[in-house]
Amino acid sequence: MKQTKRLIGITDTTLRDSHQSLLATRMKTEDMLPIAEKMDNIGFHSLEVWGGATFDSCMRFLNEDPWERLKVLREAFKKTKLQMLLRGQNLLGYKHYADDVVDEFVKKTCEYGMDIFRVFDALNDIRNMQRAMAAVKKNGKHVQGTISYTTGTIYDIDYYVKFGKELKDSGADSICIKDMAGLLSPTGAFDLVKALKNELKLPIQMHTHYTSGMGSMMYLKAIEAGADVIDTANSALALGTSQPATETMVAVLNEGAYTTGINLEDLVPLSEYFKRIRQNYAEFDVYKSGVDVNILRYQVPGGMLSNFITQLTEQNALDKLDDCLAEVPRVREDFGYPPLVTPSSQIVGSQAALNVLLGERYKMCTNEVKNYMRGLYGRPPGKVNEDIRKKIIGDEQPITVRPADLIEPELEKSKLLYPEADTTEKLLMYILFPQVAKDFFAKDNLKASPEIKNNNTNDLKEKAKIENSPKILDCSSNTSSFAGQSFAKRLKTKNNINLNTSTNSTLNNGEIHKLSVKFEGKTYELEVEKIETIISPKETFNKAEDNKEIQEDRKVESNHKIPLTRKGVGDNIVNSPMPGKILKILKSQGEKVQQGEKVLILEAMKMENEILAPCDGVIENINVVEGVAVNSGEELFSIV
């Protein structure tokens, strides 16, 4: 008698966690829609398409409305369930929000068509998850209670089983073991899944990152122990800091005692498409280490590692990466061994970076670190270093109640605070990310691009085909392009030929570039000089827009007489400790201040940093305005 194979569900993360981990969450909606129909027909258990950092990134970097993204993706995926990552009481932000905001956000997300909510808390504090879980249940959707897995002396099977029971009692329909740093070993996974299955009798889904190289092996052992669903990413955006490859897991599982219900051949067009799309994001494709066993030492999640690289690059301090990674476990121990997942990964990571970059531990602490020590993020899993806590918040005592109990209802007050928010969606954007939303709406980018707004998938498919095809350079002798003449001369070819060039080639005025050109089956290495023509109209438009924005920024800075390169010297002059953006100015010119008093807030690495008065005196000059970017060492203000 033929044995029935057990079905293992596959959740594809390519449109959310995969590019969040590998490409700093930069994938645009217009690059998702052309492949949506093919993905919808694969037979995935679900597609993770929203949540995590995507809400912030859409506004902050992509000039996209995150609600519009969810809307058009829901319309595009007609068969497959959509899934999101929700940070409990933090929603998609980096702090706790009032209960009425949590309720409204979940309700609105359900209205936009979300099916499965993976709810977690960075500290595994069940109190921070219960309101969001209840809101999901109230709206009739699937609640996936999440265990944030990490290692340390306080973490064992009993700890996780106890927390799993709390999740079940709070209404979880399934359990996710979220191994965000790739620390869960195959043997550890088998033991943990076995224990949870025996105690909870709920479906279990596995999530990991491939940074340590154990992901695929861990999945197999977890499945042997009874796991029901695994998270994977398309091979073009898998491995490294992303998830195990979908194709690999499908091939392995389908030939054994299991089945995924997915045909391997159907996945090929997806990987071909995403290979082309990935080239569009080379600027953010920064993680090149492949398997990094140092992750087992530093306990750093995939997304945190790629963001670390990006942020340190912005700080011109990438050479400090190893020092920052080594500092992470020390900060984590000081903070009571929190799992490193958003927002605790940002809190711990940014503090580790500050400790290294400033050359002194806890010389400067972000507002988020101070609030963590006050207990405003919840109950740390382990014991906090009280000496460090005192250094950060003095004699202030941390709270012991649920943090959200101290937050008054926000919705009605926010309507008065943001009168321009004429829809619930806008209001929620302002509440979650006030400054980011302000900048976003100021650019008049509320509406997504016409292609996204109209959801014209056919146009987007054609657009993707054109933009990913080779560019053709006309090298005829009568062309006005000096580039064409240069190519023809160097190749010593006859007139009127076409050369297929690499799609990654960039040609700038007055510079010399090496360029690979394929002609009649042969590849030629060219040096191109005195280019007077930008080849791609799209690149020309983007460069013009970039230059326009730069000019506008400089115009604002000029109007406010902000020095771009001046660096002050002296105890009464305060310079920016790092690159960032001026979030808020708290004092005025001529105002008296005391030593240690807050003067302004600098946003750097997505964290808020208070810049304090170094001495008693009067504010002589404030050389910045809110919303302006500053470089490390630029003068912020002076005191006399």
Side-chain angles (χ1 to χ4, degrees):
M1 182 177 178
K2 189 175 181 180
Q3 185 178 3
T4 303
K5 291 189 173 187
R6 183 161 74 91
L7 178 66
I8 303 299
I10 302 289
T11 291
D12 185 273
T13 67
T14 309
L15 302 185
R16 206 286 296 177
D17 198 22
S18 172
H19 74 91
Q20 179 171 321
S21 297
L22 290 175
L23 307 177
T25 331
R26 293 307 205 278
M27 190 184 292
K28 300 175 182 178
T29 307
E30 66 183 38
D31 285 333
M32 301 177 183
L33 290 176
I35 199 66
E37 184 178 354
K38 283 187 171 63
M39 295 183 76
D40 199 26
N41 290 325
I42 293 296
F44 290 119
H45 169 78
S46 63
L47 290 162
E48 190 191 40
V49 299
W50 213 60
T54 60
F55 197 92
D56 179 11
S57 183
C58 276
M59 292 189 290
R60 188 187 298 263
F61 301 119
L62 305 180
N63 287 334
E64 288 187 16
D65 182 340
W67 295 105
E68 190 71 24
R69 170 178 289 193
L70 180 54
K71 176 185 175 183
V72 298
L73 289 179
R74 179 69 282 174
E75 292 171 353
F77 293 112
K78 301 179 180 1
K79 303 175 184 178
T80 313
K81 290 183 178 180
L82 299 186
Q83 182 167 322
M84 73 166 292
L85 184 67
L86 191 71
R87 300 166 183 161
Q89 203 75 26
N90 289 0
L91 296 176
L92 301 180
Y94 306 108
K95 66 175 185 178
H96 284 330
Y97 300 96
D99 287 340
D100 62 339
V101 174
V102 172
D103 293 343
E104 191 63 34
F105 186 89
V106 171
K107 177 185 175 184
K108 186 58 63 176
T109 304
C110 291
E111 290 175 3
Y112 272 73
M114 190 58 63
D115 299 298
I116 302 171
F117 290 74
R118 179 175 291 174
V119 182
F120 77 96
D121 177 67
L123 303 181
N124 284 334
D125 188 340
I126 192 66
R127 302 173 304 168
N128 294 336
M129 302 171 66
Q130 288 170 325
R131 186 74 182 208
M133 294 175 71
V136 175
K137 297 288 282 187
K138 182 179 179 180
N139 285 276
K141 302 296 184 176
H142 182 106
V143 178
Q144 187 168 87
T146 304
I147 296 171
S148 295
Y149 179 85
T150 189
T151 58
T153 56
I154 66 173
Y155 298 102
D156 55 20
I157 294 291
D158 291 340
Y159 169 89
Y160 289 117
V161 169
K162 178 177 180 292
F163 185 53
K165 289 179 179 178
E166 292 178 336
L167 291 172
K168 182 177 181 179
D169 292 342
S170 298
D173 298 303
S174 63
I175 299 293
C176 173
I177 300 175
K178 182 175 174 62
D179 176 29
M180 56 277 176
L183 298 175
L184 183 54
S185 69
T187 301
F190 183 91
D191 294 341
L192 179 56
V193 171
K194 201 76 172 175
L196 289 171
K197 272 289 189 178
N198 289 338
E199 291 289 338
L200 306 183
K201 307 295 190 294
L202 287 176
I204 291 181
Q205 183 159 352
M206 305 301 296
H207 172 89
T208 193
H209 291 256
Y210 213 82
T211 327
S212 68
M214 297 192 295
S216 298
M217 295 182 288
M218 185 273 282
Y219 275 176
L220 283 176
K221 293 301 290 184
I223 289 168
E224 287 180 12
D228 303 278
V229 187
I230 57 175
D231 286 3
T232 63
N234 183 271
S235 59
L237 284 165
L239 308 184
T241 55
S242 181
Q243 282 72 52
T246 301
E247 296 92 327
T248 303
M249 296 309 303
V250 166
V252 170
L253 292 172
N254 282 354
E255 73 172 13
Y258 313 100
T259 181
T260 61
I262 294 174
N263 186 333
L264 185 61
E265 291 299 318
D266 293 340
L267 297 171
V268 174
L270 274 60
S271 62
E272 292 175 347
Y273 176 80
F274 284 115
K275 281 178 184 176
R276 295 196 304 271
I277 291 301
R278 184 170 182 171
Q279 296 174 13
N280 298 340
Y281 301 96
E283 176 184 357
F284 310 104
D285 200 350
V286 294
Y287 185 78
K288 307 297 182 183
S289 299
V291 171
D292 186 353
V293 294
N294 284 325
I295 298 306
L296 301 175
R297 299 165 57 201
Y298 303 137
Q299 306 106 38
V300 175
M304 180 181 175
L305 182 59
S306 59
N307 279 332
F308 237 150
I309 296 171
T310 300
Q311 290 163 356
L312 287 174
T313 300
E314 292 172 353
Q315 308 284 331
N316 295 318
L318 191 56
D319 60 312
K320 302 290 186 183
L321 178 61
D322 288 342
D323 293 336
C324 289
L325 289 175
E327 177 67 4
V328 167
R330 293 192 285 267
V331 173
R332 184 169 174 254
E333 181 179 3
D334 291 339
F335 286 20
Y337 294 102
L340 292 182
V341 62
T342 305
S344 63
S345 56
Q346 280 84 357
I347 293 172
V348 171
S350 63
Q351 190 59 55
L354 284 174
N355 289 353
V356 171
L357 295 177
L358 299 181
E360 180 182 333
R361 303 190 79 223
Y362 305 107
K363 178 179 181 180
M364 174 184 286
C365 297
T366 66
N367 283 346
E368 289 80 3
V369 165
K370 294 174 183 177
N371 287 336
Y372 178 92
M373 287 298 183
R374 292 178 179 123
L376 296 179
Y377 281 94
R379 185 171 46 232
K383 188 176 180 180
V384 170
N385 184 324
E386 292 300 332
D387 291 336
I388 297 298
R389 193 202 300 267
K390 186 169 184 177
K391 184 173 183 178
I392 294 172
I393 62 171
D395 294 328
E396 192 175 344
Q397 292 299 307
I399 67 169
T400 57
V401 299
R402 183 184 78 118
D405 289 341
L406 304 178
I407 306 175
E408 295 182 358
E410 293 180 271
L411 278 177
E412 293 305 317
K413 289 193 301 184
S414 296
K415 290 177 183 178
L416 299 176
L417 187 60
Y418 308 112
E420 63 272 31
D422 54 2
T423 67
T424 301
E425 292 89 338
K426 286 186 189 179
L427 185 64
L428 290 167
M429 292 160 79
Y430 271 109
I431 293 173
L432 265 63
F433 298 101
Q435 186 60 48
V436 175
K438 180 181 178 182
D439 294 343
F440 174 73
F441 290 118
K443 293 178 182 177
D444 197 26
N445 281 323
L446 173 60
K447 299 298 181 184
S449 66
E451 296 97 331
I452 296 173
K453 179 182 176 184
N454 298 326
N455 194 19
N456 193 332
T457 307
N458 290 330
D459 287 351
L460 283 165
K461 287 179 181 177
E462 189 62 29
K463 178 181 178 183
K465 187 186 300 181
I466 293 171
E467 291 183 355
N468 287 284
S469 63
K471 298 179 177 67
I472 305 299
L473 301 182
D474 185 359
C475 296
S476 61
S477 61
N478 59 0
T479 179
S480 62
S481 167
F482 189 89
Q485 297 174 25
S486 179
F487 282 132
K489 181 178 179 181
R490 290 178 185 273
L491 280 177
K492 298 180 180 179
T493 59
K494 62 182 180 179
N495 296 339
N496 299 316
I497 63 171
N498 288 333
L499 302 179
N500 288 332
T501 73
S502 165
T503 59
N504 290 328
S505 303
T506 303
L507 309 177
N508 296 321
N509 292 342
E511 297 180 4
I512 296 176
H513 291 265
K514 289 185 178 180
L515 188 65
S516 295
V517 179
K518 184 173 287 187
F519 175 60
E520 295 184 348
K522 295 182 179 180
T523 300
Y524 298 85
E525 296 292 332
L526 304 181
E527 283 190 359
V528 185
E529 57 188 347
K530 294 184 179 179
I531 298 301
E532 297 177 352
T533 303
I534 301 294
I535 303 304
S536 165
K538 178 186 176 186
E539 291 171 359
T540 304
F541 174 79
N542 288 342
K543 286 179 180 291
E545 288 299 301
D546 289 344
N547 289 335
K548 180 180 177 183
E549 288 186 12
I550 292 170
Q551 290 167 1
E552 289 298 318
D553 287 344
R554 287 177 177 170
K555 187 185 298 180
V556 171
E557 292 169 351
S558 176
N559 289 341
H560 290 281
K561 298 181 180 178
I562 299 171
L564 296 179
T565 57
R566 175 186 170 193
K567 295 185 178 181
V569 179
D571 292 339
N572 66 330
I573 294 177
V574 176
N575 301 319
S576 178
M578 67 194 78
K581 179 186 285 188
I582 303 302
L583 192 62
K584 196 168 186 179
I585 296 176
L586 306 173
K587 299 295 181 182
S588 303
Q589 186 172 330
E591 189 172 350
K592 289 184 178 180
V593 292
Q594 294 181 334
Q595 182 178 1
E597 199 169 349
K598 290 180 281 189
V599 177
L600 56 82
I601 306 294
L602 174 72
E603 183 187 55
M605 297 184 288
K606 295 186 180 180
M607 297 284 112
E608 296 181 6
N609 302 274
E610 295 174 349
I611 307 300
L612 310 178
C615 57
D616 295 346
V618 176
I619 301 289
E620 179 185 26
N621 287 307
I622 295 180
N623 298 296
V624 292
V625 294
E626 291 181 0
V628 167
V630 295
N631 295 319
S632 178
E634 284 187 22
E635 182 180 332
L636 302 177
F637 60 90
S638 59
I639 298 175
V640 293

